[in-house]
Amino acid sequence: WGWPAHGGLALANSIAVTAEMVALLWWLRPRMDGLAEPGLGMAVAKMSLAAAGMALALGLLLPFLPAAPGWLGGVMGIAAGGVVYGGLAYLLRVEELTAIQARLWRRIKK
């Protein structure tokens, strides 16, 4: 099995984005009088659980995605991952999702 050819690039990007997030949180906290740390931990935990569920679902779906053309498997994987993550975030009642829904409803009603 081994890593896909682009696996190292994806891992490096994930590490870089995580480091950037930690640095920005450290830098912004004093400038914003805190970032609601008690709620932040629970939100990150819920999003991490939804992401883990999405990863599991995509891992199970991978053998069924078409190998050629490659872009079709990618589009199908992105769509399936988005649906699974969105569904799990909804079930876990991720507050950010509720805020996005409220904003969308306001725009639709205008």
Side-chain angles (χ1 to χ4, degrees):
W1 281 68
W3 282 84
H6 57 281
L9 181 60
L11 179 62
N13 188 49
S14 297
I15 292 169
V17 169
T18 302
E20 180 182 13
M21 179 200 65
V22 169
L24 287 173
L25 283 173
W26 174 79
W27 184 68
L28 286 174
R29 183 184 298 157
R31 289 165 177 76
M32 297 182 71
D33 296 328
L35 291 172
E37 282 92 4
L40 183 63
M42 183 55 75
V44 169
K46 288 179 180 180
M47 288 183 236
S48 296
L49 188 58
M54 178 185 68
L56 178 65
L58 288 175
L60 295 173
L61 180 67
L62 187 62
F64 302 104
L65 293 176
W71 65 269
L72 182 59
V75 169
M76 291 174 70
I78 290 170
V83 168
V84 170
Y85 182 86
L88 289 173
Y90 179 78
L91 291 174
L92 293 170
R93 292 185 171 91
V94 173
E95 291 179 27
E96 288 76 9
L97 184 62
T98 306
I100 291 170
Q101 287 174 330
R103 234 178 226 194
L104 286 174
W105 281 118
R106 274 188 258 133
R107 286 193 180 198
I108 290 172
K109 288 182 180 182
K110 282 185 181 181

